[in-house]
Amino acid sequence: LGAGKAKSLFSIPDTLAPPPKSISGLENMYLQVDRRGVVENCNTKLAELLGKTKETVIGSTVAVIDTLPWAQGVFETLICESQLAGDRIDFETSFIDAVSGTERFLLFHALATEEQSTVTISETTRYHHILETFQRYVSPAVVEKLQNSAQDIFQTERAVLTVLFADLRGFTKL
């Protein structure tokens, strides 16, 4: 568990998509809990992750719904850690999807106040696939430098360049 925002090129949870107009249109998963630990709100995507319906999740306690087989107790732990830290807690994990058999990566963000707690979950599988692919073609030092860079490497730039192709006679024999 770590506090604060992730500053990595390949896990950019705050810029995955423009903010939705309503919770029902939210692509990320969302859970809102009151100070007693009762679920006040969630979206359908979160309920699907839990293997439940939205109607059965809302009104339940976090302890009752916090039963992901690959991350048992993750919601309670993150909410508690956020309350203790007085800040947002980020936690990334992966699991093998039972339906597709592929590895999925999820980034949890928990923010707790005295009145309520919110946990959002962003799917970061695509970014991990990009990272894995990128690492095959460039050195680890380049990948590390890009991850620590504040610049967006996918932003295009127009530049005037001069390129010289040269063949030196007899160079191959040397």
Side-chain angles (χ1 to χ4, degrees):
L1 297 178
K5 293 184 179 182
K7 296 223 181 200
S8 169
L9 170 69
F10 297 102
S11 57
I12 322 171
D14 295 332
T15 58
L16 287 176
K21 293 186 173 152
S22 70
I23 290 174
S24 62
L26 190 60
E27 285 300 315
N28 294 337
M29 292 166 252
Y30 173 90
L31 177 72
Q32 186 178 3
V33 180
D34 70 12
R35 71 174 124 187
R36 297 171 295 137
V38 176
V39 176
E40 292 180 330
N41 206 348
C42 74
N43 64 352
T44 306
K45 287 193 179 280
L46 181 94
E48 288 170 1
L49 180 71
L50 296 171
K52 303 180 185 302
T53 64
K54 185 176 172 180
E55 292 74 29
T56 58
V57 173
I58 295 173
S60 299
T61 63
V62 174
V64 169
I65 64 153
D66 205 354
T67 58
L68 294 170
W70 41 267
Q72 202 106 41
V74 69
F75 294 108
E76 280 188 304
T77 301
L78 290 173
I79 290 169
C80 181
E81 289 291 322
S82 179
Q83 286 172 337
L84 290 173
D87 197 3
R88 185 175 95 177
I89 299 292
D90 299 335
F91 171 70
E92 188 167 30
T93 189
S94 67
F95 68 100
I96 303 299
D97 189 314
V99 176
S100 67
T102 60
E103 187 173 22
R104 288 178 61 189
F105 293 86
L106 298 177
L107 180 60
F108 291 75
H109 303 292
L111 183 60
T113 65
E114 288 183 24
E115 295 302 312
Q116 71 178 163
S117 303
T118 304
V119 178
T120 58
I121 306 169
S122 305
E123 177 119 19
T124 59
T125 304
R126 181 172 166 240
Y127 294 101
H128 282 275
H129 289 303
I130 290 170
L131 176 61
E132 288 172 17
T133 302
F134 208 71
Q135 286 175 326
R136 290 183 201 150
Y137 301 107
V138 297
S139 77
V142 171
V143 172
E144 185 178 339
K145 186 174 181 180
L146 292 173
Q147 283 180 306
N148 295 330
S149 172
Q151 295 178 351
D152 180 6
I153 63 157
F154 297 111
Q155 183 177 352
T156 59
E157 288 182 31
R158 201 171 269 255
V160 177
L161 302 174
T162 302
V163 179
L164 171 67
F165 292 95
D167 184 19
L168 302 174
R169 182 181 291 169
F171 184 75
T172 306
K173 291 180 184 177
L174 291 175

